Amino acid sequence: PIARKEQKMLRTLYRAMVISRAKSAAYQTLAMLSDRELADIGYSRASFVDAYIANIVAELDANDAAAASPVNANLVGAV
């Protein structure tokens, strides 16, 4: 089993790799879009990459929160 400290380190490394790759992909996408296309989807050249990265970070945070609070399988669907 992996120690808690090592899990945190690996999770941090994974998160940095995902964000870095997403940022690179966002810049590549930005290079292929015209200003008009960006405006059609509600972004400008200045805001596209930051908004994309913010979405990725929010998704990673949500996944971390879900993993931090496990749900008893017997209680799923019970309200």
Side-chain angles (χ1 to χ4, degrees):
I2 298 176
R4 185 175 213 97
K5 184 177 179 182
E6 291 160 343
Q7 282 180 337
K8 184 176 180 183
M9 178 193 66
L10 289 173
R11 183 169 293 150
T12 303
L13 178 62
Y14 173 76
R15 184 180 177 96
M17 289 170 52
V18 168
I19 292 170
S20 175
R21 180 64 191 120
K23 193 170 192 175
S24 176
Y27 276 117
Q28 289 175 350
T29 302
L30 184 63
M32 291 191 265
L33 294 172
S34 69
D35 289 339
R36 166 112 190 205
E37 290 169 326
L38 285 167
D40 286 346
I41 59 174
Y43 294 106
S44 67
R45 291 212 173 267
S47 67
F48 180 76
V49 175
D50 290 335
Y52 187 75
I53 296 304
N55 286 335
I56 296 295
V57 169
E59 202 173 303
L60 289 170
D61 290 343
N63 287 340
D64 286 347
S69 58
V71 176
N72 185 336
N74 294 325
L75 300 177
V76 172
V79 177

